[in-house]
Amino acid sequence: MADTNGGGFIIQKEKDKPKNKCRKWELRISLGKDPRTGRYKTKSRRFAGTYTQAKVALREFVEEVEGDRVQGRTTYTLEEYCKRYVDRRELNKEVAATTIDRQRQQFKAVAKHLGKANLAAITPTMLDDMYIAMLKGDTLSGRPSGGSYVNQIHDNLTLVFEQAKKEGILVFNPCDKANPPKMDTKAKRALSPAKAHEFIEALDPEPDRQCAYLLAITMGLRRGEICGLSWGDIDFDRKVADIRHSYDARGNLKATKTKAGTRVLPLSDKTVQVLKAHKEAQFKRYARTNQWRKPEEGYIEQTDDSPVISDNCGTRVLPTSLSRWWTEDRPKYGLDGWCLHEFRHTYLTLLAISGVHPKVMQELAGHYSSQISMDIYTHVNMDSKREAVNAVSAVF
């Protein structure tokens, strides 16, 4: 284990500026005299920031040296290494394309603050300062980031630094000592049975967007599953739907994210009625569209491979378009502020209210783990118990 000789030094690099204006420093630590050469050994590191931040960074530098955890040397900036990290994951097909897109966007947000900093010079304090700045609104959009979003950035940076350690570029991960904000995602709400019934009755199954909302609340489907549903997946005779595809934001029709997501769902009489009405309306709409299409453009046909939810030209709709539709429509249903995914939560809550076993809920929802189903079931069950206790208390 290395020992430092004193607390180290901070050397001002911008000599023409007063100390309170300088932003470039050299952090230098003396390791004492080398017994073989008789010379004094030092370790140094460049730092960008205020003098106060440099003092904190110097203390961290001393800690690292005394713990034999001095970072390696590298020419990579944080921005360059993040790009290399994502490119490698995309090339190796380690994660879904949508995950790659999300990571690229998050690392772009990081680059605004620390992109040009040397990978080995990143300290926990620098990360904490970035997180605070993002929460205050120093972001690409100019709007304050939520705690959950910044927490996700921290998790992805942790993976980046761990990869650098694995490759021998770094010795320790600065994220280990950083302090990301807590997750602050709002708890999902569920419509009451009466409100859900009112909403369902207000929807017309013929237009694509309203049919999509019906599938979300009567089947508990995710956005990608709704957009990935084809007519060949619907068996009207057996009254079942084969959920085996998901449509992502890049326009790729692919298998569901997990094996649990691939499932066969029984269709209620109401959902069968909705789908039949929508299929007939869609067929008529395609026929009208074909009247003005030129032969070289091709005619739209309704086949087993045709999407259940489409635009007027028979093209499959992106999940982001589904969300945009709902944002436009929700005020007229008195549901302003409700997100589309809360219909899925409503579906599961209604199952729990009806006494459906959590394991069955898990299979219907396509959850990988039963924990989410159990959480909803337990919450609903507790509400029922509370009502019973309150009823008894009224007698007392």
Side-chain angles (χ1 to χ4, degrees):
M1 181 176 288
D3 292 320
T4 61
N5 187 10
F9 309 91
I10 300 175
I11 301 170
Q12 184 174 335
K13 303 301 289 183
E14 295 176 306
K15 304 294 185 182
D16 56 331
K17 294 182 180 180
K19 184 180 286 187
N20 63 341
K21 297 291 184 181
C22 179
R23 294 295 181 269
K24 292 183 180 180
W25 314 89
E26 181 182 337
L27 311 179
R28 185 176 297 173
I29 301 172
S30 174
L31 301 179
K33 187 184 291 186
D34 187 327
R36 287 192 307 161
T37 64
R39 295 179 180 179
Y40 284 92
K41 297 187 298 181
T42 62
K43 284 190 177 292
S44 61
R45 172 183 294 175
R46 292 187 178 277
F47 179 80
T50 64
Y51 180 68
T52 301
Q53 291 170 335
K55 289 195 292 184
V56 174
L58 178 62
R59 288 197 298 271
E60 293 174 349
F61 189 21
V62 171
E63 260 185 36
E64 293 163 15
V65 172
E66 291 182 341
D68 279 337
R69 296 181 291 109
V70 179
Q71 292 287 56
R73 294 179 180 273
T74 177
T75 58
Y76 283 116
T77 63
L78 180 59
E79 184 176 19
E80 289 169 346
Y81 192 78
C82 284
K83 181 180 183 304
R84 177 178 178 273
Y85 171 82
V86 177
D87 287 347
R88 181 185 59 78
R89 297 194 89 192
E90 184 175 34
L91 185 64
N92 293 341
K93 297 181 179 179
E94 293 180 13
V95 291
T98 49
T99 301
I100 293 294
D101 291 341
R102 183 167 61 251
Q103 286 185 335
R104 287 193 194 282
Q105 188 60 33
Q106 290 182 356
F107 291 148
K108 187 176 178 182
V110 169
K112 180 181 189 298
H113 297 268
L114 299 174
K116 303 306 177 186
N118 186 279
L119 182 68
I122 303 296
T123 66
T125 301
M126 294 166 70
L127 294 175
D128 288 346
D129 288 344
M130 177 181 69
Y131 299 153
I132 292 169
M134 288 178 168
L135 293 172
K136 288 182 175 180
D138 190 1
T139 59
L140 295 173
S141 66
R143 296 189 298 272
S145 293
S148 296
Y149 178 71
V150 178
N151 196 282
Q152 289 174 6
I153 287 178
H154 173 79
D155 288 345
N156 279 312
L157 281 176
T158 300
L159 295 175
V160 167
F161 286 115
E162 282 301 313
Q163 180 62 32
K165 278 178 60 180
K166 184 178 179 181
E167 294 179 15
I169 296 173
L170 300 183
V171 179
F172 76 99
N173 187 336
C175 289
D176 292 343
K177 285 195 171 184
N179 300 287
K182 294 181 180 179
M183 302 285 283
D184 58 3
T185 304
K186 293 181 180 178
K188 292 289 185 292
R189 300 167 292 179
L191 297 177
S192 67
K195 187 65 178 177
H197 176 76
E198 177 187 331
F199 175 63
I200 290 170
E201 291 303 308
L203 293 171
D204 180 354
E206 295 189 3
D208 286 88
R209 55 174 67 188
Q210 294 188 55
C211 182
Y213 308 152
L214 281 163
L215 295 179
I217 197 167
T218 64
M219 296 178 67
L221 298 183
R222 304 175 177 90
R223 290 185 314 163
E225 292 170 346
I226 294 171
C227 297
L229 200 62
S230 301
W231 287 116
D233 299 326
I234 310 296
D235 188 332
F236 288 110
D237 294 330
R238 295 171 54 221
K239 292 185 180 180
V240 296
D242 191 359
I243 309 301
R244 52 198 175 96
H245 289 120
S246 183
Y247 197 57
D248 68 22
R250 286 188 173 186
N252 298 313
L253 186 63
K254 57 187 184 181
T256 55
K257 189 173 182 179
T258 63
K259 288 183 178 180
T262 302
R263 60 205 188 276
V264 177
L265 297 180
L267 300 175
S268 67
D269 291 339
K270 175 66 177 179
T271 307
V272 169
Q273 178 187 346
V274 164
L275 288 168
K276 283 184 174 180
H278 179 67
K279 187 174 185 181
E280 183 179 350
Q282 186 188 76
F283 180 82
K284 292 177 180 178
R285 188 173 74 243
Y286 287 176
R288 290 193 299 270
T289 303
N290 284 333
Q291 291 177 2
W292 52 262
R293 285 175 73 90
K294 297 176 182 178
E296 58 268 23
E297 293 177 312
Y299 295 108
I300 310 170
E301 293 184 72
Q302 192 183 65
T303 67
D304 283 350
D305 294 327
S306 300
V308 172
I309 305 299
S310 70
D311 61 16
N312 288 331
C313 295
T315 304
R316 205 174 288 275
V317 175
L318 293 173
T320 49
S321 298
L322 212 58
S323 295
R324 189 181 71 252
W325 286 353
W326 174 241
T327 302
E328 294 170 357
D329 291 343
R330 62 189 178 186
K332 65 185 179 186
Y333 298 111
L335 295 173
D336 204 4
W338 286 72
C339 72
L340 196 62
H341 193 75
E342 285 174 312
F343 291 152
R344 175 173 164 82
H345 192 73
T346 296
Y347 172 76
L348 294 173
T349 301
L350 293 176
L351 289 177
I353 290 173
S354 302
V356 175
H357 192 278
K359 185 62 179 177
V360 178
M361 288 173 58
Q362 177 190 352
E363 293 174 358
L364 290 173
H367 285 149
Y368 174 75
S369 166
S370 62
Q371 188 58 52
I372 299 175
S373 306
M374 274 301 301
D375 288 345
I376 296 170
Y377 183 85
T378 302
H379 175 77
V380 169
N381 197 29
M382 181 57 68
D383 286 345
S384 300
K385 290 176 181 177
R386 198 177 303 282
E387 288 177 8
V389 169
N390 289 338
V392 174
S393 296
V395 176
F396 298 154

